[in-house]
């Protein structure tokens, strides 16, 4: 049976590290805390297993054409239970995604979002009703509901692989980027799942949901553009047929974020974009993990 652990430990801002524990005799959520008097922050580790072994990543990029949304499936297929997670699932594609998980012999443990989407309803709520034990994940800063509310610096384990959480607000106040680890036995080159913070030759708009062009510019430059240049960039959307980019490419060729901040702010203030057609449905639903029926009963 899959065991899920929650660790809390202190971290120096300049030295993030991972601490592993032995599995418990029965599956439950465990919490432990170690404090360092010189540290002001804590990192929580959501772990589906423990121990360090050579791991093999299974990766699939899935697409929903109506909202041009990418959903990403990742799994540790070297682990006996093949634990997997889905990033940014769409409600209309839940059956497709779960069928693929079953065909590949994976055990889906997490369904997670990069932010509260305004252009589609997340599939996390529907998936929780179909997959026993599945946990939903979103940032604490989003002020929405999920089983696990993550923060900057947290590490989300699936088998012996993990994703590190980087806070990248600006498109919305609760945006995060999930990036693969930079320690041995993690995928190389690194992979960054950037949501709407950084898209291929673009970025998400900043004129609603607590957006800020100043904040977005600083988020991308301080959190994403500091990754190695060969880090692969996988966004939540693409509208022109691109599937992947790299940090190095976007630093040079992104027509918005390769500019200085004042130019970027001017560009974002003059996009003149239409009001998102799904926002009045999607945002309320996504604030409660995509459970539309729950919304109807509470209005």
């Amino acid at each position: 049976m899959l065991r899920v652990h929650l660790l809390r430990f202190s971290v120096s801002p300049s030295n993030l590290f991972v601490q592993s524990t032995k599995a418990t005799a029965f599956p439950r959520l465990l919490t432990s805390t170690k404090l360092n008097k010189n540290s002001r922050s804590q990192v929580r580790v959501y772990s589906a297993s423990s121990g360090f072994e050579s791991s093999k990543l299974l990766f699939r990029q899935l697409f929903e054409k109506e909202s041009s949304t990418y959903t990403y499936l990742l799994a540790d297929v070297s682990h006996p239970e093949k634990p997997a997670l889905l990033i940014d699932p769409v409600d209309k594609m839940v059956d497709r995604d779960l069928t693929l998980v079953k065909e590949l012999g994976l055990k889906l443990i997490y369904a997670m979002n990069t932010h509260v989407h305004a252009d589609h309803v997340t599939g996390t709520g529907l998936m929780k009703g179909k997959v026993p034990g599945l946990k939903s994940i979103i940032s604490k800063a989003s002020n929405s509901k999920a089983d696990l509310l993550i923060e900057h610096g947290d590490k989300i384990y699936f088998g012996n692989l993990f994703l590190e959480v980087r806070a990248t607000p600006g498109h919305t106040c609760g945006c995060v980027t999930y990036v693969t680890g930079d320690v041995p036995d993690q995928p190389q080159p690194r992979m960054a799942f950037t949501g709407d913070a950084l898209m291929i030759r673009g970025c998400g708009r900043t004129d609603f949901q607590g957006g800020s062009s100043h904040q977005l510019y600083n988020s991308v430059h301080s959190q994403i553009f500091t990754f190695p240049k060969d880090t692969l960039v996988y966004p939540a959307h693409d509208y022109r047929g691109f599937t992947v980019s790299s940090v190095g490419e976007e630093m040079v060729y992104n027509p918005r974020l390769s500019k200085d901040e004042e130019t970027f702010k001017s560009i974002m203030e003059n996009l003149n974009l239409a009001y998102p057609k799904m926002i009045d449905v999607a945002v309320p639903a996504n604030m409660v993990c995509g459970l539309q029926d729950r919304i109807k009963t509470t209005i």
Side-chain angles (χ1 to χ4, degrees):
M1 182 175 292
L2 195 65
R3 293 172 172 84
V4 180
H5 305 289
L6 170 59
L7 288 178
R8 296 174 189 264
F9 55 86
S10 60
V11 60
S12 169
S14 61
N15 186 25
L16 290 176
F17 65 96
V18 180
Q19 178 175 332
S20 64
T21 61
K22 295 182 179 179
T24 56
F26 51 92
R28 62 175 179 171
L29 197 64
L30 298 179
T31 304
S32 65
T33 304
K34 291 187 178 181
L35 298 178
N36 182 327
K37 65 181 180 180
N38 297 319
S39 175
R40 296 182 179 179
S41 60
Q42 292 184 353
V43 171
R44 295 169 299 164
V45 178
Y46 301 99
S47 177
S49 70
S50 59
F52 294 92
E53 300 176 0
S54 295
S55 301
K56 182 178 179 182
L57 174 69
L58 180 145
F59 173 68
R60 295 290 186 274
Q61 183 179 40
L62 308 170
F63 189 68
E64 193 279 309
K65 63 181 181 180
E66 185 174 345
S67 61
S68 298
T69 298
Y70 285 124
T71 297
Y72 299 99
L73 173 66
L74 290 80
D76 180 357
V77 292
S78 73
H79 189 278
E81 292 181 324
K82 297 183 179 179
L85 57 83
L86 280 164
I87 299 173
D88 289 336
V90 179
D91 63 341
K92 295 178 181 179
M93 308 307 292
V94 163
D95 289 340
R96 175 202 66 183
D97 298 350
L98 294 183
T99 296
L100 178 60
V101 168
K102 182 178 180 180
E103 290 174 346
L104 296 175
L106 308 177
K107 183 177 181 62
L108 187 64
I109 58 173
Y110 297 132
M112 47 207 285
N113 286 292
T114 53
H115 63 291
V116 174
H117 301 277
D119 48 15
H120 69 272
V121 175
T122 180
T124 54
L126 294 176
M127 285 181 173
K128 281 173 56 62
K130 294 174 179 286
V131 181
L134 178 66
K135 301 293 185 183
S136 58
I137 295 177
I138 201 167
S139 72
K140 183 177 181 180
S142 69
N143 294 315
S144 56
K145 295 184 181 297
D147 295 310
L148 301 174
L149 300 176
I150 46 88
E151 297 179 86
H152 180 84
D154 288 354
K155 290 179 172 62
I156 303 166
Y157 270 81
F158 54 110
N160 299 312
L161 303 177
F162 70 87
L163 295 177
E164 180 184 325
V165 179
R166 295 291 186 96
T168 50
H171 169 61
T172 75
C173 58
C175 287
V176 295
T177 289
Y178 300 112
V179 60
T180 54
D182 61 351
V183 297
D185 292 332
Q186 300 301 305
Q188 294 297 328
R190 298 181 76 180
M191 307 164 73
F193 301 92
T194 55
D196 287 11
L198 177 63
M199 292 195 250
I200 300 172
R201 309 301 192 263
C203 64
R205 61 196 294 177
T206 58
D207 57 337
F208 62 89
Q209 288 183 274
S212 163
S213 57
H214 168 72
Q215 199 171 40
L216 180 57
Y217 188 89
N218 287 333
S219 291
V220 172
H221 280 261
S222 67
Q223 298 300 323
I224 300 176
F225 282 178
T226 54
F227 295 146
K229 291 183 179 180
D230 65 348
T231 300
L232 299 173
V233 171
Y234 291 101
H237 303 280
D238 189 83
Y239 308 99
R240 294 173 293 172
F242 294 109
T243 57
V244 63
S245 184
S246 71
V247 166
E249 282 183 45
E250 295 307 313
M251 290 175 70
V252 175
Y253 298 116
N254 192 293
R256 300 177 185 177
L257 288 156
S258 62
K259 305 294 192 294
D260 62 78
E261 184 177 351
E262 288 305 312
T263 302
F264 174 76
K265 290 171 65 175
S266 177
I267 291 171
M268 300 306 292
E269 290 169 0
N270 291 282
L271 292 178
N272 298 316
L273 298 174
Y275 187 74
K277 64 180 181 179
M278 280 289 294
I279 189 171
D280 294 330
V281 173
V283 169
N286 292 335
M287 291 297 290
V288 289
C289 206
L291 299 174
Q292 300 95 313
D293 291 340
R294 178 176 175 178
I295 295 173
K296 293 177 182 178
T297 61
T298 57
I299 291 178

